[in-house]
Amino acid sequence: YSVQGAGMGEFERALRAINGGLAKKPPRNENALSNYQHRKQCYEFAVEYARKNAGIKYVFAPRNLGNNINSAESEYFPSLSIDGKELVFTRRVDNSNEDFYISRLDSNGAWDKARPMDGNVNTPMDECAQNISQDGQWLVFTANGRPTGYGDFDLYGSYLSSAGWSEAVNLGGLINSDQWDSQPCLSPDKRDLYFTSRRAGG
């Protein structure tokens, strides 16, 4: 079915298209039908959300997080723990080595001085494009050029213990491919992992 419009935020148009398609000729394939029904639910949610919030104006006004987070180096790929009190990001150290830094929100609502993550997750090789689980216990990230790699960029995991973050563990061949795999995102319950890939069909 043509569901044009969703990519441009025109969810009412997309919902009309998918409803029309499902009414005229529902897919026989169970996976395809499930996929379309999921899309329909997403479009319905978007339409209802827009209806409930009509007239509310959102102001995009980003604020610099200050010198405790930012430096003369490049900082990027931030992620927050679910309580919003722990910020993990990638910093390009000496304009070459990418490492993870962490900052915590103090009782006054200010970020403390960012420091390299404790433990063994940072190495002389690059670690970047991370996502911290919402409970703050898992870190899933991208690394390349490692002997355990399946391709040029793979997804790795690190786990928090009393000694800090563990050494990186390759997430294996069921997840990684011989292609570029990156930008991971964990679901809140840590049961689903979303990521980008250059593999066929990715």
Side-chain angles (χ1 to χ4, degrees):
Y1 312 126
S2 172
V3 289
Q4 294 174 352
M8 297 182 294
E10 297 175 3
F11 294 106
E12 288 184 6
R13 179 180 164 203
L15 184 57
R16 283 194 302 272
I18 206 162
N19 279 338
L22 286 171
K24 288 178 185 175
K25 190 176 180 184
R28 292 182 182 166
N29 179 293
E30 194 173 313
N31 288 338
L33 180 60
S34 176
N35 184 350
Y36 282 111
Q37 288 171 336
H38 175 71
R39 283 188 189 188
K40 177 181 173 179
Q41 289 174 336
C42 292
Y43 301 158
E44 288 171 338
F45 172 83
V47 168
E48 180 64 14
Y49 183 86
R51 186 191 63 77
K52 285 182 179 177
N53 294 282
I56 297 175
K57 293 189 177 182
Y58 294 95
V59 177
F60 180 66
R63 291 179 294 139
N64 190 300
L65 293 181
N67 295 336
N68 280 349
I69 301 293
N70 297 303
S71 70
E73 307 284 359
S74 295
E75 286 91 16
Y76 39 89
F77 289 121
S79 61
L80 284 168
S81 57
I82 193 168
D83 61 6
K85 295 182 178 178
E86 197 168 68
L87 175 68
V88 179
F89 59 92
T90 301
R91 177 176 286 169
R92 187 180 290 275
V93 181
D94 296 327
N95 203 31
S96 62
N97 179 29
E98 293 173 306
D99 279 336
F100 297 134
Y101 278 68
I102 190 166
S103 176
R104 290 186 175 84
L105 206 59
D106 65 24
S107 57
N108 298 318
W111 293 105
D112 68 6
K113 187 76 172 172
R115 62 201 172 284
M117 292 186 82
D118 295 331
N120 299 307
V121 65
N122 286 327
T123 70
M125 295 177 284
D126 290 337
E127 297 84 25
C128 64
Q130 84 294 334
N131 180 237
I132 191 169
S133 63
Q134 290 196 357
D135 64 5
Q137 299 299 301
W138 292 7
L139 191 71
V140 182
F141 62 94
T142 309
N144 72 325
R146 299 190 180 210
T148 55
Y150 289 77
D152 53 354
F153 280 86
D154 276 5
L155 298 180
Y156 286 78
S158 179
Y159 309 95
L160 187 61
S161 71
S162 57
W165 290 91
S166 69
E167 287 184 24
V169 176
N170 188 295
L171 295 185
L174 294 178
I175 292 174
N176 291 303
S177 69
D178 62 353
Q179 302 296 311
W180 180 88
D181 300 300
S182 186
Q183 267 95 5
C185 184
L186 279 168
S187 63
D189 62 5
K190 301 186 290 193
R191 295 176 64 87
D192 294 295
L193 173 66
Y194 302 89
F195 61 96
T196 58
S197 178
R198 284 203 184 115
R199 72 189 70 187

